Protein backbone atom coordinates (compact mmCIF):
# COMPACT_ATOMS: atom_id res chain seq x y z
CA UNK A 1 0.00 0.00 0.00
CA UNK A 2 1.27 3.44 -0.93
CA UNK A 3 1.22 4.73 2.64
CA UNK A 4 4.15 7.14 2.34
CA UNK A 5 3.80 9.13 -0.83
CA UNK A 6 6.47 11.64 -1.86
CA UNK A 7 4.11 14.32 -3.17
CA UNK A 8 1.49 15.72 -0.82
CA UNK A 9 -1.49 13.48 -1.15
CA UNK A 10 -4.86 13.45 0.43
CA UNK A 11 -6.13 10.03 1.48
CA UNK A 12 -9.86 9.68 2.07
CA UNK A 13 -11.31 6.62 3.86
CA UNK A 14 -14.67 5.47 2.54
CA UNK A 15 -16.77 2.38 3.29
CA UNK A 16 -16.04 -0.43 0.82
CA UNK A 17 -19.51 -2.04 0.82
CA UNK A 18 -22.64 -1.04 2.63
CA UNK A 19 -25.09 1.74 3.25
CA UNK A 20 -22.54 4.58 3.10
CA UNK A 21 -20.74 3.50 -0.05
CA UNK A 22 -23.01 4.86 -2.76
CA UNK A 23 -23.71 8.24 -1.17
CA UNK A 24 -20.00 8.71 -0.28
CA UNK A 25 -18.88 7.88 -3.81
CA UNK A 26 -21.52 10.15 -5.30
CA UNK A 27 -20.43 13.03 -3.02
CA UNK A 28 -16.77 12.60 -4.07
CA UNK A 29 -17.78 12.63 -7.74
CA UNK A 30 -19.97 15.71 -7.25
CA UNK A 31 -16.88 17.34 -5.76
CA UNK A 32 -15.21 16.72 -9.12
CA UNK A 33 -13.03 13.76 -8.12
CA UNK A 34 -12.60 11.37 -11.03
CA UNK A 35 -11.68 7.78 -10.08
CA UNK A 36 -12.35 4.23 -11.22
CA UNK A 37 -15.40 2.46 -9.77
CA UNK A 38 -13.45 -0.57 -8.66
CA UNK A 39 -15.05 -3.32 -6.60
CA UNK A 40 -11.72 -5.10 -6.02
CA UNK A 41 -9.01 -2.47 -5.50
CA UNK A 42 -8.75 -1.06 -1.99
CA UNK A 43 -6.74 2.04 -2.83
CA UNK A 44 -8.04 4.02 -5.79
CA UNK A 45 -6.11 7.01 -7.15
CA UNK A 46 -7.99 10.11 -8.35
CA UNK A 47 -7.18 11.01 -11.93
CA UNK A 48 -7.64 14.77 -11.59
CA UNK A 49 -6.95 15.65 -7.93
CA UNK A 50 -3.94 14.73 -5.76
CA UNK A 51 -5.97 12.33 -3.67
CA UNK A 52 -6.60 8.63 -3.27
CA UNK A 53 -9.56 6.75 -1.82
CA UNK A 54 -9.07 3.94 0.68
CA UNK A 55 -11.98 1.48 0.79
CA UNK A 56 -12.45 -0.09 4.23
CA UNK A 57 -15.00 -1.40 6.77
CA UNK A 58 -16.85 1.56 8.25
CA UNK A 59 -15.73 0.57 11.77
CA UNK A 60 -12.07 1.23 10.80
CA UNK A 61 -12.65 4.79 9.54
CA UNK A 62 -12.36 6.66 12.89
CA UNK A 63 -9.04 4.97 13.76
CA UNK A 64 -7.60 5.45 10.27
CA UNK A 65 -8.35 9.18 10.40
CA UNK A 66 -7.35 9.55 14.04
CA UNK A 67 -3.95 7.94 13.39
CA UNK A 68 -3.35 10.13 10.32
CA UNK A 69 -3.16 7.21 7.85
CA UNK A 70 -6.08 8.98 6.15
CA UNK A 71 -6.63 12.70 6.56
CA UNK A 72 -10.36 12.51 5.85
CA UNK A 73 -12.97 9.78 6.20
CA UNK A 74 -16.69 9.26 5.77
CA UNK A 75 -18.51 7.35 8.50
CA UNK A 76 -21.80 7.27 10.40
CA UNK A 77 -21.85 9.48 13.50
CA UNK A 78 -22.99 6.38 15.44
CA UNK A 79 -19.71 4.55 14.69
CA UNK A 80 -17.62 7.62 15.50
CA UNK A 81 -19.47 8.14 18.79
CA UNK A 82 -19.17 4.48 19.85
CA UNK A 83 -15.42 4.44 19.02
CA UNK A 84 -14.90 7.77 20.76
CA UNK A 85 -16.32 6.30 23.96
CA UNK A 86 -13.53 3.72 23.86
CA UNK A 87 -10.43 5.71 22.87
CA UNK A 88 -9.48 9.34 22.62
CA UNK A 89 -9.86 9.93 18.87
CA UNK A 90 -7.68 12.59 17.30
CA UNK A 91 -10.16 13.69 14.67
CA UNK A 92 -12.96 16.23 14.36
CA UNK A 93 -16.31 16.22 12.65
CA UNK A 94 -15.54 18.46 9.71
CA UNK A 95 -18.93 18.31 7.98
CA UNK A 96 -22.32 16.69 8.49
CA UNK A 97 -23.21 15.08 5.19
CA UNK A 98 -27.01 14.79 5.30
CA UNK A 99 -27.22 11.14 4.20
CA UNK A 100 -27.54 7.73 5.92
CA UNK A 101 -29.77 9.34 8.54
CA UNK A 102 -30.85 6.98 11.31
CA UNK A 103 -31.10 6.78 15.09
CA UNK A 104 -29.81 4.44 17.73
CA UNK A 105 -32.93 3.46 19.64
CA UNK A 106 -34.11 1.19 22.40
CA UNK A 107 -37.02 -1.09 21.47
CA UNK A 108 -38.87 -3.84 23.27
CA UNK A 109 -41.63 -6.33 22.35
CA UNK A 110 -44.89 -4.55 21.49
CA UNK A 111 -46.82 -6.48 24.15
CA UNK A 112 -44.31 -5.79 26.95
CA UNK A 113 -45.17 -3.14 29.54
CA UNK A 114 -43.34 0.14 29.08
CA UNK A 115 -43.96 3.19 31.30
CA UNK A 116 -40.84 5.14 30.53
CA UNK A 117 -37.16 4.33 30.95
CA UNK A 118 -37.63 3.02 34.49
CA UNK A 119 -39.33 -0.03 32.92
CA UNK A 120 -35.84 -1.04 31.70
CA UNK A 121 -34.51 -1.33 35.26
CA UNK A 122 -33.00 -4.79 35.79
CA UNK A 123 -33.76 -5.81 32.19
CA UNK A 124 -31.35 -7.32 29.63
CA UNK A 125 -30.73 -5.11 26.57
CA UNK A 126 -28.90 -6.56 23.54
CA UNK A 127 -26.84 -4.25 21.33
CA UNK A 128 -23.83 -3.83 19.06
CA UNK A 129 -23.33 -0.35 20.64
CA UNK A 130 -22.48 -1.28 24.26
CA UNK A 131 -20.62 1.92 25.13
CA UNK A 132 -23.26 4.36 23.88
CA UNK A 133 -26.00 2.31 25.52
CA UNK A 134 -24.14 2.07 28.83
CA UNK A 135 -23.54 5.83 28.84
CA UNK A 136 -27.22 6.51 28.06
CA UNK A 137 -28.39 4.19 30.87
CA UNK A 138 -25.90 5.69 33.33
CA UNK A 139 -27.04 9.23 32.44
CA UNK A 140 -30.62 8.20 33.22
CA UNK A 141 -29.58 6.20 36.32
CA UNK A 142 -31.05 2.98 34.95
CA UNK A 143 -29.43 -0.25 35.98
CA UNK A 144 -29.85 -2.73 33.11
CA UNK A 145 -27.69 -5.56 31.87
CA UNK A 146 -26.03 -4.70 28.56
CA UNK A 147 -25.65 -7.77 26.36
CA UNK A 148 -23.09 -7.43 23.58
CA UNK A 149 -23.97 -9.15 20.31
CA UNK A 150 -22.29 -8.82 16.92
CA UNK A 151 -25.44 -8.75 14.75
CA UNK A 152 -29.09 -9.85 14.31
CA UNK A 153 -29.95 -7.81 17.39
CA UNK A 154 -33.67 -7.74 16.58
CA UNK A 155 -34.13 -11.50 17.08
CA UNK A 156 -32.68 -11.58 20.61
CA UNK A 157 -36.02 -10.91 22.44
CA UNK A 158 -37.67 -13.68 20.39
CA UNK A 159 -34.86 -16.06 21.42
CA UNK A 160 -35.26 -14.89 25.04
CA UNK A 161 -31.62 -13.79 25.11
CA UNK A 162 -32.73 -10.24 25.90
CA UNK A 163 -35.80 -8.28 27.07
CA UNK A 164 -35.10 -5.29 24.86
CA UNK A 165 -32.69 -4.18 22.15
CA UNK A 166 -30.71 -1.08 21.25
CA UNK A 167 -30.11 -0.85 17.50
CA UNK A 168 -30.11 1.50 14.52
CA UNK A 169 -33.50 2.42 13.14
CA UNK A 170 -34.22 4.22 9.87
CA UNK A 171 -37.76 3.51 8.63
CA UNK A 172 -38.78 1.29 11.59
CA UNK A 173 -39.76 -1.60 9.27
CA UNK A 174 -37.27 -4.05 10.79
CA UNK A 175 -38.53 -3.36 14.31
CA UNK A 176 -42.18 -3.74 13.28
CA UNK A 177 -41.55 -6.99 11.43
CA UNK A 178 -39.98 -8.43 14.60
CA UNK A 179 -42.88 -7.34 16.82
CA UNK A 180 -40.79 -4.62 18.48
CA UNK A 181 -41.76 -1.07 19.43
CA UNK A 182 -39.40 1.86 19.60
CA UNK A 183 -39.20 3.22 23.16
CA UNK A 184 -36.36 5.75 23.42
CA UNK A 185 -33.72 7.45 21.26
CA UNK A 186 -30.14 7.04 22.39
CA UNK A 187 -28.46 8.94 19.53
CA UNK A 188 -29.43 10.69 16.28
CA UNK A 189 -27.02 9.90 13.45
CA UNK A 190 -26.07 10.77 9.88
CA UNK A 191 -23.01 10.41 7.67
CA UNK A 192 -20.15 12.70 8.72
CA UNK A 193 -16.80 13.72 7.29
CA UNK A 194 -14.01 13.19 9.80
CA UNK A 195 -10.80 15.21 9.59
CA UNK A 196 -7.56 14.25 11.26
CA UNK A 197 -6.32 16.86 13.75
CA UNK A 198 -2.67 15.89 13.17
CA UNK A 199 -2.04 17.54 9.79
CA UNK A 200 1.25 19.40 9.83
CA UNK A 201 1.92 19.51 6.08
CA UNK A 202 0.79 22.91 4.74
CA UNK A 203 0.20 21.53 1.22
CA UNK A 204 -2.02 18.73 2.51
CA UNK A 205 -3.90 21.24 4.69
CA UNK A 206 -4.48 23.44 1.65
CA UNK A 207 -5.71 20.42 -0.39
CA UNK A 208 -8.19 19.70 2.40
CA UNK A 209 -9.41 23.32 2.30
CA UNK A 210 -9.93 23.03 -1.47
CA UNK A 211 -11.86 19.79 -1.00
CA UNK A 212 -14.02 21.23 1.79
CA UNK A 213 -14.86 24.28 -0.34
CA UNK A 214 -16.15 21.87 -2.99
CA UNK A 215 -18.23 19.95 -0.43
CA UNK A 216 -19.76 23.22 0.78
CA UNK A 217 -20.57 24.17 -2.80
CA UNK A 218 -22.28 20.83 -3.41
CA UNK A 219 -24.21 20.99 -0.13
CA UNK A 220 -25.37 24.58 -0.67
CA UNK A 221 -26.54 23.69 -4.17
CA UNK A 222 -28.42 20.60 -2.98
CA UNK A 223 -30.87 22.72 -0.97
CA UNK A 224 -31.22 25.46 -3.58
CA UNK A 225 -33.07 25.99 -6.84
CA UNK A 226 -32.71 28.56 -9.60
CA UNK A 227 -36.06 30.08 -10.53
CA UNK A 228 -36.94 32.07 -13.63
CA UNK A 229 -40.32 33.58 -14.47
CA UNK A 230 -41.98 36.38 -16.41
CA UNK A 231 -44.55 38.75 -14.98
CA UNK A 232 -46.07 42.20 -15.20
CA UNK A 233 -43.91 44.81 -13.49
CA UNK A 234 -46.74 45.65 -11.05
CA UNK A 235 -46.65 42.05 -9.64
CA UNK A 236 -42.98 42.16 -8.70
CA UNK A 237 -43.41 42.90 -5.01
CA UNK A 238 -46.04 40.21 -4.36
CA UNK A 239 -44.09 37.62 -6.35
CA UNK A 240 -40.83 38.27 -4.53
CA UNK A 241 -42.62 37.58 -1.21
CA UNK A 242 -43.75 34.15 -2.42
CA UNK A 243 -40.33 32.71 -3.29
CA UNK A 244 -38.83 30.94 -0.23
CA UNK A 245 -35.30 31.84 0.82
CA UNK A 246 -34.78 34.06 -2.21
CA UNK A 247 -31.58 36.08 -2.54
CA UNK A 248 -30.70 39.03 -4.78
CA UNK A 249 -33.15 38.59 -7.68
CA UNK A 250 -32.14 39.81 -11.12
CA UNK A 251 -34.94 41.75 -12.80
CA UNK A 252 -34.67 42.49 -16.53
CA UNK A 253 -37.15 44.06 -18.98
CA UNK A 254 -38.70 41.76 -21.55
CA UNK A 255 -37.79 42.89 -25.08
CA UNK A 256 -40.84 44.29 -26.89
CA UNK A 257 -43.05 44.28 -23.74
CA UNK A 258 -42.25 47.43 -21.75
CA UNK A 259 -44.56 46.48 -18.83
CA UNK A 260 -43.24 42.96 -18.53
CA UNK A 261 -40.15 41.74 -16.64
CA UNK A 262 -38.18 38.52 -16.31
CA UNK A 263 -37.11 37.60 -12.77
CA UNK A 264 -34.18 35.25 -12.11
CA UNK A 265 -33.20 34.24 -8.57
CA UNK A 266 -31.58 31.61 -6.39
CA UNK A 267 -34.01 30.21 -3.81
CA UNK A 268 -32.16 28.70 -0.84
CA UNK A 269 -35.00 26.27 -0.20
CA UNK A 270 -36.83 23.70 -2.25
CA UNK A 271 -39.69 25.05 -4.32
CA UNK A 272 -42.85 22.99 -3.94
CA UNK A 273 -45.88 22.79 -6.24
CA UNK A 274 -47.89 24.94 -3.81
CA UNK A 275 -45.43 27.83 -4.32
CA UNK A 276 -45.61 27.48 -8.09
CA UNK A 277 -49.42 27.52 -7.96
CA UNK A 278 -49.35 30.69 -5.82
CA UNK A 279 -46.86 32.30 -8.22
CA UNK A 280 -49.18 31.59 -11.14
CA UNK A 281 -52.15 33.06 -9.27
CA UNK A 282 -50.08 36.21 -8.65
CA UNK A 283 -49.47 36.64 -12.36
CA UNK A 284 -46.23 34.74 -13.05
CA UNK A 285 -45.89 32.94 -16.39
CA UNK A 286 -43.20 30.75 -18.04
CA UNK A 287 -41.99 29.57 -14.62
CA UNK A 288 -38.78 27.53 -14.74
CA UNK A 289 -37.34 25.83 -11.64
CA UNK A 290 -33.87 24.45 -12.28
CA UNK A 291 -31.56 22.38 -10.02
CA UNK A 292 -28.21 23.97 -9.20
CA UNK A 293 -25.04 21.90 -9.40
CA UNK A 294 -22.64 24.06 -7.37
CA UNK A 295 -22.73 27.33 -5.44
CA UNK A 296 -19.38 28.94 -4.69
CA UNK A 297 -19.64 32.15 -2.68
O1 LIG B 1 -19.24 -3.95 6.40
P1 LIG B 1 -19.21 -2.70 7.21
O2 LIG B 1 -18.72 -2.93 8.62
O3 LIG B 1 -18.47 -1.60 6.51
O4 LIG B 1 -20.73 -2.17 7.26
P2 LIG B 1 -21.83 -2.39 8.39
O5 LIG B 1 -22.59 -3.62 8.04
O6 LIG B 1 -21.27 -2.26 9.76
O7 LIG B 1 -22.72 -1.08 8.18
P3 LIG B 1 -23.92 -0.76 7.19
O8 LIG B 1 -23.44 -0.66 5.79
O9 LIG B 1 -25.11 -1.64 7.44
O10 LIG B 1 -24.30 0.71 7.73
C1 LIG B 1 -23.38 1.73 7.64
C2 LIG B 1 -23.95 2.96 8.33
O11 LIG B 1 -25.18 3.34 7.69
C3 LIG B 1 -24.35 2.78 9.77
O12 LIG B 1 -23.23 2.82 10.66
C4 LIG B 1 -25.28 3.96 9.97
O13 LIG B 1 -24.54 5.14 10.20
C5 LIG B 1 -25.97 4.09 8.61
N1 LIG B 1 -27.35 3.59 8.58
C6 LIG B 1 -28.43 4.32 8.16
C7 LIG B 1 -27.81 2.37 8.93
C8 LIG B 1 -29.19 2.37 8.73
N2 LIG B 1 -29.54 3.59 8.23
C9 LIG B 1 -29.95 1.18 9.00
N3 LIG B 1 -31.18 1.20 8.82
N4 LIG B 1 -27.18 1.26 9.41
C10 LIG B 1 -27.90 0.15 9.64
N5 LIG B 1 -29.25 0.06 9.48
C11 LIG B 1 -29.90 -1.26 9.78
C12 LIG B 1 -30.22 -1.45 11.26
O14 LIG B 1 -29.09 -1.98 11.94
C13 LIG B 1 -31.38 -2.45 11.20
O15 LIG B 1 -30.93 -3.76 11.03
O16 LIG B 1 -31.11 -1.39 9.10
C14 LIG B 1 -32.10 -2.02 9.94
C15 LIG B 1 -33.16 -1.02 10.30
O17 LIG B 1 -33.61 -0.33 9.18
P4 LIG B 1 -35.15 0.08 9.08
O18 LIG B 1 -35.23 0.96 7.86
O19 LIG B 1 -35.95 -1.17 8.89
O20 LIG B 1 -35.53 0.84 10.33
ZN1 LIG C 1 -19.42 -1.95 10.29
Amino acid sequence: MNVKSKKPLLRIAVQKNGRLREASESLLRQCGLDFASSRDALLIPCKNFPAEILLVRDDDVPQLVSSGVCQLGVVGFNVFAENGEMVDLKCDISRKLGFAECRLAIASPRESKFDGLKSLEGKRIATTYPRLLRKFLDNHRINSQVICVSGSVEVTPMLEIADAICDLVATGTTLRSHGLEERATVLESEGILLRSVAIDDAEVASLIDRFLLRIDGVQAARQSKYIMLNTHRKNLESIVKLIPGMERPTVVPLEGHPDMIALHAVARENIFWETIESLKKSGATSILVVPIEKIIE
Side-chain angles (χ1 to χ4, degrees), residues 21-39:
R21 167 72 197 250
E22 207 180 302
S24 308
E25 186 170 330
S26 144
L27 176 69
L28 296 180
R29 291 197 191 282
Q30 285 174 321
C31 288
L33 271 54
D34 183 12
F35 52 91
S37 267
S38 169
R39 288 275 150 193

Side-chain angles (χ1 to χ4, degrees), residues 5-248:
S5 168
K6 280 207 183 80
K7 63 177 176 168
L9 193 70
L10 190 58
R11 192 174 297 121
I12 308 168
V14 168
Q15 189 188 29
K16 184 172 188 318
N17 292 307
R19 285 182 166 84
L20 295 166
R21 167 72 197 250
E22 207 180 302
S24 308
E25 186 170 330
S26 144
L27 176 69
L28 296 180
R29 291 197 191 282
Q30 285 174 321
C31 288
L33 271 54
D34 183 12
F35 52 91
S37 267
S38 169
R39 288 275 150 193
D40 304 320
L42 294 181
L43 197 58
I44 307 176
C46 290
K47 296 171 190 160
N48 58 348
F49 197 82
E52 55 190 3
I53 296 156
L54 181 64
L55 297 175
V56 291
R57 293 281 308 268
D58 65 345
D59 316 76
D60 295 334
V61 172
Q63 268 305 332
L64 284 166
V65 179
S66 178
S67 64
V69 171
C70 297
Q71 294 84 17
L72 296 174
V74 178
V75 72
F77 176 61
N78 48 303
V79 170
F80 172 67
E82 177 74 10
N83 274 257
E85 287 299 314
M86 178 172 46
V87 286
D88 186 19
L89 291 171
K90 292 181 178 52
C91 48
D92 299 330
I93 301 174
S94 178
R95 294 292 183 275
K96 292 181 177 177
L97 299 175
F99 57 71
E101 285 160 333
C102 58
R103 56 201 178 274
L104 184 64
I106 295 176
S108 61
R110 206 174 292 131
E111 65 284 358
S112 67
K113 199 165 161 341
F114 188 83
D115 303 318
L117 290 176
K118 63 179 185 324
S119 303
L120 298 169
E121 187 70 37
K123 296 278 164 42
R124 301 162 302 166
I125 311 177
T127 189
T128 52
Y129 292 85
R131 295 174 196 91
L132 288 174
L133 174 60
R134 173 57 61 209
K135 188 177 173 193
F136 176 83
L137 294 170
D138 288 350
N139 285 345
H140 290 87
R141 299 179 194 286
I142 307 287
N143 196 8
S144 312
Q145 189 189 341
V146 174
I147 298 181
C148 247
V149 291
S150 56
S152 309
V153 187
E154 51 281 314
V155 296
T156 56
M158 240 182 267
L159 301 174
E160 296 183 3
I161 297 169
D163 306 298
I165 67 162
C166 173
D167 196 13
L168 296 175
V169 182
T171 60
T173 311
T174 308
L175 290 186
R176 279 192 293 280
S177 65
H178 288 85
L180 298 166
E181 193 161 325
E182 199 170 334
R183 307 294 193 181
T185 302
V186 173
L187 186 89
E188 298 278 357
S189 181
E190 67 182 280
I192 54 170
L193 182 75
L194 289 180
R195 177 193 176 135
S196 170
V197 293
I199 296 165
D200 41 23
D201 187 313
E203 280 183 89
V204 174
S206 120
L207 268 183
I208 292 176
D209 289 342
R210 269 177 71 196
F211 181 71
L212 292 179
L213 185 74
R214 293 184 183 195
I215 289 202
D216 292 342
V218 169
Q219 288 196 315
R222 214 180 268 160
Q223 287 143 17
S224 306
K225 290 281 179 288
Y226 195 74
I227 184 160
M228 293 176 268
L229 56 84
N230 295 344
T231 191
H232 197 283
R233 195 175 284 280
K234 70 176 166 41
N235 300 328
L236 180 61
E237 214 174 302
S238 54
I239 283 194
V240 161
K241 282 190 195 138
L242 289 173
I243 302 176
M246 193 183 64
E247 291 181 359
R248 300 182 294 271

